[in-house]
C-alpha cells in the first residue's frame, strides 16, 4: 500500500490530478481488501472524496462514494452517499460506474449473507461487465474473483444452480486467461 503514497506524490508533483485521484481511489479499495481497520478506512474514503470533489472529478467521486458506502455498511451505518450534482446522471449513463455500484452492493450483500439482495445485485453486475470500459485494472481481477465466488455460493443456494455455476466458471476462466497472459504473473506464482 505504501507504493500508492509514492505514486500519489509523483502524480501531484507532475500536476496530474486525475492520476492522483485514481491512485487515491485504488489505495482506498485495496486497503479495504487488505483488512485495514474500518474506522481508518472511513476517514480515508472521506478524505479521498473531498480531494476528488475539490478537483472536480465527478466520475471518480461517485465511484469512490459507492465503495465508501460498503465500508459504512460494514461499520453498521446504512446510508446512501451524498452525490455530487452530476452523480445521478453519471450513474444512469456510465456502465463502468454502474459496474462498481452493483459490485459493491453484491459484495456487501454477500458479506451479510443476504441471498435475495446478493442475487439481484449479481445479476445487475453481470449485465454491466460486458458493456463497461475495456481496460483491465487490478480491480477487475478482484471483481472477477468475488463475482465467481458469489456465483458459486448462489449456485448452492438457488434453484438456478446451473446458470450460477456457469457464471462462476466464466469468472474462473477470466482469471486464468489474465494470469496466463500477464508477463508479470511469474512473480506471484
Amino acid at each position: 500500500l505504501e507504493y500508492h503514497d509514492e505514486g500519489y506524490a509523483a502524480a501531484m508533483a507532475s500536476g496530474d490530478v486525475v492520476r492522483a485521484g485514481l491512485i487515491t481511489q485504488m489505495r482506498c479499495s485495496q486497503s479495504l481488501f487488505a483488512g485495514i481497520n474500518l474506522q481508518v478506512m472511513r476517514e480515508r474514503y472521506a478524505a479521498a472524496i473531498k480531494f476528488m470533489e475539490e478537483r472536480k472529478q465527478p466520475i471518480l467521486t461517485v465511484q469512490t462514494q459507492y465503495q465508501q458506502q460498503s465500508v459504512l455498511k460494514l461499520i453498521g451505518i446504512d446510508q446512501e452517499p451524498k452525490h455530487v450534482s452530476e452523480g445521478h446522471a453519471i450513474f444512469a449513463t456510465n456502465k463502468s460506474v454502474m459496474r462498481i455500484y452493483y459490485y459493491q452492493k453484491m459484495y456487501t450483500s454477500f458479506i451479510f449473507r443476504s441471498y435475495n439482495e446478493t442475487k439481484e445485485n449479481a445479476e445487475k453486475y453481470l449485465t454491466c461487465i460486458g458493456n463497461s470500459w475495456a481496460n483491465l485494472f487490478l480491480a477487475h481481477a478482484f471483481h472477477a474473483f468475488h463475482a465467481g465466488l458469489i456465483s458459486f455460493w448462489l449456485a448452492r443456494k438457488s434453484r438456478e444452480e446451473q446458470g450460477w455455476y456457469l457464471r462462476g466458471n466464466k469468472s474462473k476462466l477470466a482469471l486464468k486467461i489474465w494470469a496466463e497472459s500477464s508477463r508479470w504473473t511469474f512473480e506471484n506464482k
Side-chain angles (χ1 to χ4, degrees), residues 6-66:
E6 294 172 17
Y8 172 84
M12 290 302 286
S14 69
D16 188 351
V17 293
V18 173
R19 174 87 49 205
L22 265 172
I23 291 169
T24 300
Q25 183 187 51
M26 291 301 292
R27 181 177 186 252
C28 285
S29 64
Q30 290 179 6
S31 294
L32 177 62
F33 291 122
I36 302 297
N37 179 286
L38 291 173
Q39 294 298 335
V40 171
M41 292 305 309
R42 180 182 186 181
E43 294 168 13
R44 284 185 184 173
Y45 272 108
I49 290 167
K50 182 179 178 189
F51 173 87
M52 293 166 193
E53 285 176 339
E54 289 172 350
R55 283 151 185 91
K56 310 234 183 296
Q57 299 174 334
I59 291 177
L60 287 177
T61 302
V62 171
Q63 289 175 328
T64 305
Q65 285 174 326
Y66 293 142

Side-chain angles (χ1 to χ4, degrees), residues 11-174:
M12 290 302 286
S14 69
D16 188 351
V17 293
V18 173
R19 174 87 49 205
L22 265 172
I23 291 169
T24 300
Q25 183 187 51
M26 291 301 292
R27 181 177 186 252
C28 285
S29 64
Q30 290 179 6
S31 294
L32 177 62
F33 291 122
I36 302 297
N37 179 286
L38 291 173
Q39 294 298 335
V40 171
M41 292 305 309
R42 180 182 186 181
E43 294 168 13
R44 284 185 184 173
Y45 272 108
I49 290 167
K50 182 179 178 189
F51 173 87
M52 293 166 193
E53 285 176 339
E54 289 172 350
R55 283 151 185 91
K56 310 234 183 296
Q57 299 174 334
I59 291 177
L60 287 177
T61 302
V62 171
Q63 289 175 328
T64 305
Q65 285 174 326
Y66 293 142
Q67 293 173 357
Q68 178 193 40
Q69 187 178 9
S70 294
V71 170
L72 293 175
K73 190 162 185 170
L74 290 170
I75 292 172
I77 301 168
D78 197 13
Q79 70 183 41
E80 293 289 320
K82 174 192 76 70
H83 292 289
V84 294
S85 58
E86 305 95 337
H88 295 292
I90 290 170
F91 177 76
T93 59
N94 188 312
K95 295 288 186 189
S96 292
V97 172
M98 284 184 200
R99 175 187 181 144
I100 287 178
Y101 174 77
Y102 291 124
Y103 168 79
Q104 290 301 137
K105 298 287 272 185
M106 173 186 70
Y107 179 76
T108 306
S109 301
F110 174 69
I111 295 293
F112 287 104
R113 298 297 193 259
S114 173
Y115 172 79
N116 290 334
E117 194 175 335
T118 302
K119 180 181 175 194
E120 176 186 334
N121 288 301
E123 288 169 345
K124 290 176 181 176
Y125 167 78
L126 291 167
T127 61
C128 290
I129 61 174
N131 299 316
S132 58
W133 296 330
N135 303 18
L136 175 60
F137 292 120
L138 178 61
H140 293 169
F142 284 125
H143 291 190
F145 173 78
H146 289 119
L149 177 70
I150 290 167
S151 293
F152 289 127
W153 179 73
L154 288 169
R156 284 195 323 240
K157 300 256 184 207
S158 82
R159 296 173 194 246
E160 305 159 16
E161 178 180 331
Q162 190 62 29
W164 287 110
Y165 183 75
L166 290 172
R167 288 177 178 134
N169 279 333
K170 188 174 177 181
S171 290
K172 277 179 34 179
L173 180 61

